Amino acid sequence: MNYLNRLEDEVSAWPNVSVHPHRFGGKEFRFGKAEIGHVHRDGTVDIPFPRPVRDALLEEGQAEEHRWVPDSGWTTFRVRREADIVHAIGLMRISYLRYALKAASDPHHLLKQESESLHLSPRFISLLEKFTPGVA
């Protein structure tokens, strides 16, 4: 699955992201010490989210419950063809944003910019606003 290299190249280029071997095979992506997701060699992408974000993604059919820990914040998305990479990168970017917003000098501007780029619905914008400093 050479197109998985595109996912790795894209995600590893984001500020503050590092790539590590994943304990169950594949590559793990971290923002600092926090995992934003990992991809297995078979194209399975597992991504952790806060529970409300995870629930919204499942309701909208954008991801599936994680196969090993379905009652958690973890999701699974299976990359079956090259066209799925764009969606996988978008999901990984949403996971990344909860950490990037906390570290940004202007988190509100970053959220606006990313919301437009990712075509986020008002629902997801509202869920992610909770990760901007000063918002309860």
Side-chain angles (χ1 to χ4, degrees), residues 45-121:
V45 180
D46 294 324
I47 306 171
F49 292 102
R51 193 61 184 260
V53 175
R54 174 256 192 204
D55 291 346
L57 290 167
L58 295 182
E59 286 173 23
E60 294 187 8
Q62 294 191 46
E64 302 170 19
E65 289 182 338
H66 190 275
R67 62 200 176 285
W68 302 115
V69 284
D71 195 27
S72 71
W74 282 88
T75 64
T76 293
F77 179 76
R78 288 174 176 64
V79 175
R80 295 180 176 96
R81 56 191 171 279
E82 190 166 353
D84 293 335
I85 290 295
V86 173
H87 188 72
I89 290 170
L91 291 171
M92 197 75 77
R93 188 71 177 187
I94 293 170
S95 178
Y96 167 84
L97 271 177
R98 70 180 156 147
Y99 301 105
L101 289 169
K102 292 176 185 176
S105 60
D106 188 348
H108 298 286
H109 175 73
L110 177 61
L111 181 57
K112 182 179 183 328
Q113 182 180 4
E114 292 290 329
S115 297
E116 291 170 2
S117 174
L118 294 167
H119 307 287
L120 295 178
S121 69

